[in-house]
Amino acid sequence: ETGVTQSPTHLIKTRGQQVTLRCSSQSGHNTVSWYQQALGQGPQFIFQYYREEENGRGNFPPRFSGLQFPNYSSELNVNALELDDSALYLCASSRTGLPGNEKLFFGSGTQLSVL
Amino acid sequence: AQRVTQPEKLLSVFKGAPVELKCNYSYSGSPELFWYVQYSRQRLQLLLRHISRESIKGFTADLNKGETSFHLKKPFAQEEDSAMYYCALRPLMNYGGSQGNLIFGKGTKLSVKP
């Protein structure tokens, strides 16, 4: 059983640029959630993808967007990067459709630095 | 507003001492509550959830709706319990629809000294 993998592990961008982060879900999982974790804070929910559609979103602007592919992997795209976007971005996968299966499995994250 | 509060940034105890990590929540309904843990150089992982009423690695947590709390307890702390602990809430309105929507506290770093 493979776990949740994220790429890249680290990334440096400049303000105004665009970035794409990638996530492969754990084997058997069909749902991917993305979180932003700023330094010293808990993870903050960005959005969730299920059946290739967004089905839940936190308080993030539209310049944060995502995709889910038929193999359940996912991308997080951030346009017009701002300095405050510097954070650890976590991906978590789960299996929707199994009652009581609320457990999220997290990846190691992508550390994004915006200069 | 939905919110999870962990009042302690750092909690330091000696091995064998009892430990209690505090978590209070604000939510106008019946949420699902979780504790997640992150050991050094490891991923964030689920420790326990209130609906399971389970004890994991000697830890327990009881949901107190009157006090809106979900404190994590262990009677005898071990050095390997040293980690970052996050309390998280999932609004029940999202159950089955957006199960990934967790609201996390800022976390408490537990340090167990020998």
Side-chain angles (χ1 to χ4, degrees):
Chain A
E1 183 180 87
T2 55
V4 179
T5 57
Q6 293 187 241
S7 62
T9 54
H10 295 83
L11 203 51
I12 299 175
K13 291 286 188 178
T14 56
R15 195 170 47 182
Q17 284 189 312
Q18 178 265 343
V19 68
T20 298
L21 310 182
R22 294 178 175 83
C23 172
S24 293
S25 60
Q26 181 161 312
S27 176
H29 287 182
N30 56 13
T31 303
V32 173
S33 306
W34 286 93
Y35 286 82
Q36 180 194 67
Q37 186 173 20
L39 192 63
Q41 304 293 316
Q44 188 174 357
F45 177 69
I46 302 175
F47 45 53
Q48 175 179 285
Y49 275 82
Y50 171 59
R51 291 183 174 175
E52 302 178 43
E53 290 188 359
E54 183 183 299
N55 80 328
R57 189 178 184 95
N59 188 26
F60 280 82
R63 60 189 184 85
F64 285 78
S65 63
L67 285 172
Q68 186 181 33
F69 301 98
N71 67 352
Y72 307 122
S73 66
S74 176
E75 288 182 354
L76 164 64
N77 299 290
V78 187
N79 293 322
L81 283 167
E82 301 177 359
L83 297 180
D84 286 348
D85 295 333
S86 295
L88 180 68
Y89 288 84
L90 295 170
C91 169
S93 74
S94 59
R95 176 80 183 175
T96 297
L98 287 180
N101 191 26
E102 306 89 356
K103 188 174 180 178
L104 298 185
F105 290 79
F106 282 86
S108 300
T110 294
Q111 184 66 52
L112 173 64
S113 297
V114 182
L115 306 178
Chain B
Q2 300 162 359
R3 187 183 298 118
V4 174
T5 303
Q6 295 179 250
E8 302 136 331
K9 273 190 175 180
L10 174 65
L11 184 62
S12 186
V13 301
F14 286 100
K15 177 183 175 181
V19 62
E20 181 179 53
L21 297 160
K22 291 184 167 52
C23 172
N24 289 90
Y25 66 90
S26 173
Y27 178 65
S28 57
S30 295
E32 294 179 83
L33 274 298
F34 304 84
W35 277 99
Y36 276 79
V37 61
Q38 187 167 26
Y39 300 102
S40 179
R41 298 188 189 87
Q42 294 188 26
R43 305 171 181 206
L44 193 60
Q45 58 185 289
L46 178 66
L47 179 62
L48 56 78
R49 49 193 171 185
H50 89 273
I51 60 172
S52 299
R53 295 183 175 272
E54 56 201 345
S55 174
I56 304 294
K57 298 184 179 182
F59 284 98
T60 59
D62 291 319
L63 178 60
N64 186 324
K65 292 184 180 180
E67 296 182 357
T68 59
S69 68
F70 188 57
H71 303 327
L72 183 68
K73 300 177 184 179
K74 185 170 183 177
F76 307 103
Q78 303 299 315
E79 289 181 69
E80 55 265 31
D81 296 328
S82 295
M84 195 74 185
Y85 291 80
Y86 293 95
C87 182
L89 171 158
R90 178 162 68 219
L92 270 184
M93 61 182 289
N94 288 324
Y95 181 75
S98 181
Q99 64 187 40
N101 180 3
L102 295 181
I103 300 167
F104 283 87
K106 292 185 178 182
T108 297
K109 184 175 182 179
L110 175 64
S111 175
V112 181
K113 299 178 179 179

